[in-house]
Amino acid sequence: MFGVTHRAGQWAGTGAAARTLALITLALLASTGAVAAEKGCAQQLLVSGYTSDNVHSFDLCSGQFIRLLDTGGRLNGVQAVRRGNGYLYVASEENNRVVRYDETTLAFIDVFVETSAIGISKPTGLAVGPDGDLYIAGFTTTDVVRVDGESGSEKRRYSLAGQISGIDAGMVFDPTDRLLVPGFNSGNIVSLNVDTGTATELIAAGSGGLASPRVIVIDAGGERLLVSSWGSGSVLSFGFDGTFIERLLLRNGPSGLVQEPSGSLLVVSDQQAQVVRHGADGTRQEVLIEAGQGGVLGATFLTLLGTEGDAPPASEADQAWLIGVGGFEGNTLVAEMVITDGAAFGADFDPAQVRRVPWGTLEFELTGCASASYRWSGLEAAYGSGAYDVQRVAPNLAQQECEAEGLAPAAARGTWFGGGARDGEGLLIDVLQSGDAVITLYSYRPSSG
């Protein structure tokens, strides 16, 4: 269901500079560790990034980015994320798998199900049943397959052929243990009795403005269904008998939808990965997560993790590698930077798994043959903006040429750092024959302290 338009937000770059950057970042890898969670908040919001190919964790109190779920490049086109049996089950649509993680530590456990082996193509929807089994559905198939929640072995298959098309991420069990299944292409919602296998249409396409439904949520009050209606740009509410109640809010392309214990609604759009909090009546309250924060691209699904009594898994700030290609304006190099992640060290390294997420801008200004200053402006508030002076780590040929011929962009070649006060952080620069330059910043991810 995700076409070219939905993937257009992924940073690609253009021309020779982009090709140079792509080649260099095949060998440059950043660790994907976390920013520590803000102390005192015990809940996280997980945002599925279809285009960013990961699950992004945020502090539910502050909206601060915490970490990426997967560090091994196992996910591609993330859809539903469901909790159950002590696990997180993640639907990875584009490589046809369901991947399992520990719910408490978020550690990778296994590739739980290769969905092509059970006849499910492009897995989108997951639901954990009252029986502890996992129910899996795919966008280009019309079956729902029930597998054992521990072993992943197939237990039963349900056919919805002729009743639904384009099963989306947000199927859910209602209080009577019916499995409710949204059809993006068919525009309807189907009810499935998993005991008898009987399937019936619960909400017809167009009812109350229903179009391309994506996620179904059981209201905390137990009196209604909440549905993100992508095609009509709204969140709608229905009775459990399928009767339309009201339109709660308008949002362009709403995809992910989740309700907090307080009754507030969190809504995200795949077209703008901005998470907005609304009241239970749909009244807009605040922006919790800004668009693109934490590198989210193509947001599809929201999941709450933790409770008031649970401490979230937190980790220390870790190393970050940024890389960019830019040109000189006089003796100042200006480069748009990306931060890389997604692959693994050593024999497990796969260049196809490296992701490049836009980070912000660096400016490196030569002030002498062995001195310079650099300025940065990060896209995320945690990185902010700032500047400080740097110096060469050691004399080199570029410095020698500069002293003989005068200050010029070629003098930027080399390794730079901020002296003793910034030892352990620095910049690597190489000036190409084209006049462009490759700049790498080795530093650390922000910490909440």
Side-chain angles (χ1 to χ4, degrees):
M1 94 202 109
F2 261 67
V4 174
T5 300
H6 297 90
R7 294 188 178 275
Q10 192 168 20
W11 187 90
T14 57
R19 289 192 294 275
T20 301
L21 179 58
L23 289 171
I24 292 168
T25 52
L26 294 181
L28 181 64
L29 187 60
S31 51
T32 56
V35 177
E38 180 174 314
K39 296 177 181 179
C41 189
Q43 290 182 288
Q44 297 178 53
L45 177 66
L46 305 182
V47 184
S48 296
Y50 183 93
T51 310
S52 49
D53 297 327
N54 220 314
V55 179
H56 306 250
S57 171
F58 296 86
D59 186 290
L60 186 62
C61 299
S62 66
Q64 178 185 355
F65 174 64
I66 299 174
R67 60 168 289 173
L68 297 175
L69 175 64
D70 189 82
T71 60
R74 305 173 187 91
L75 303 175
N76 188 357
V78 182
Q79 294 279 2
V81 177
R82 293 296 191 187
R83 303 170 61 181
N85 307 312
Y87 307 117
L88 285 177
Y89 302 97
V90 180
S92 183
E93 181 178 352
E94 292 302 322
N95 55 5
N96 290 301
R97 59 176 51 165
V98 176
V99 185
R100 186 166 57 166
Y101 303 82
D102 185 281
E103 182 182 352
T104 302
T105 66
L106 304 187
F108 166 72
I109 296 177
D110 55 18
V111 176
F112 186 56
V113 177
E114 296 283 3
T115 62
S116 57
I118 59 171
I120 295 295
S121 175
K122 291 190 175 293
T124 49
L126 301 176
V128 178
D131 46 26
D133 290 338
L134 182 67
Y135 294 74
I136 307 172
F139 191 75
T140 59
T141 46
T142 55
D143 285 355
V144 176
V145 176
R146 176 180 178 177
V147 303
D148 185 276
E150 291 288 346
S151 69
S153 59
E154 182 176 339
K155 299 178 72 171
R156 186 168 180 178
R157 179 178 300 272
Y158 308 89
S159 176
L160 304 183
Q163 299 187 69
I164 201 166
S165 175
I167 298 176
D168 217 315
M171 61 184 190
V172 69
F173 279 90
D174 75 3
T176 65
D177 295 341
R178 298 180 301 177
L179 181 62
L180 307 183
V181 185
F184 184 89
N185 288 339
S186 53
N188 62 344
I189 294 175
V190 170
S191 168
L192 171 64
N193 184 315
V194 298
D195 292 327
T196 66
T198 303
T200 58
E201 185 175 69
L202 178 66
I203 306 174
S207 177
L210 184 67
S212 301
R214 303 200 64 175
V215 172
I216 306 167
V217 170
I218 307 301
D219 180 58
E223 299 179 351
R224 59 181 181 169
L225 305 173
L226 309 176
V227 182
S228 60
S229 177
W230 189 91
S232 61
S234 55
V235 172
L236 309 173
S237 68
F238 297 86
F240 286 106
D241 62 355
T243 303
F244 173 67
I245 299 175
E246 64 178 328
R247 183 172 64 188
L248 291 174
L249 60 97
L250 295 173
R251 177 74 190 271
N252 185 34
S255 50
L257 172 68
V258 73
Q259 188 171 38
E260 299 178 270
S262 65
S264 296
L265 304 177
L266 299 177
V267 185
V268 72
S269 167
D270 60 358
Q271 299 177 22
Q272 182 186 29
Q274 179 190 68
V275 178
V276 179
R277 178 178 277 126
H278 298 260
D281 61 354
T283 304
R284 184 183 175 104
Q285 294 179 338
E286 63 175 329
V287 174
L288 178 64
I289 300 170
E290 293 291 350
Q293 187 176 339
V296 180
L297 296 172
T300 55
F301 201 82
L302 300 176
T303 307
L304 290 177
L305 183 63
T307 65
E308 292 295 335
D310 294 336
S315 58
E316 299 299 325
D318 62 354
Q319 289 181 309
W321 287 79
L322 282 68
I323 187 167
V325 175
F328 283 89
E329 299 174 5
N331 289 319
T332 300
L333 169 61
V334 181
E336 297 297 322
M337 307 296 287
V338 298
I339 189 166
T340 61
D341 60 35
F345 178 78
D348 293 330
F349 179 79
D350 179 359
Q353 300 295 342
V354 178
R355 297 186 307 111
R356 303 165 183 85
V357 178
W359 181 88
T361 303
L362 288 187
E363 295 185 12
F364 178 89
E365 182 180 3
L366 287 164
T367 56
C369 293
S371 63
S373 65
Y374 102 94
R375 299 177 289 276
W376 74 89
S377 178
L379 295 174
E380 290 186 27
Y383 288 103
S385 59
Y388 63 82
D389 293 334
V390 293
Q391 63 193 51
R392 288 191 188 278
V393 171
N396 64 357
L397 182 60
Q399 179 178 341
Q400 182 180 346
E401 292 172 350
C402 174
E403 291 170 347
E405 302 172 10
L407 194 63
R413 291 174 294 162
T415 305
W416 304 78
F417 81 131
R422 307 295 300 198
D423 195 8
E425 177 182 71
L427 301 114
L428 305 174
I429 299 175
D430 194 13
V431 180
L432 309 178
Q433 288 183 340
S434 65
D436 289 332
V438 178
I439 181 170
T440 302
L441 169 69
Y442 54 95
S443 185
Y444 301 83
R445 294 175 186 262
S447 173
S448 60

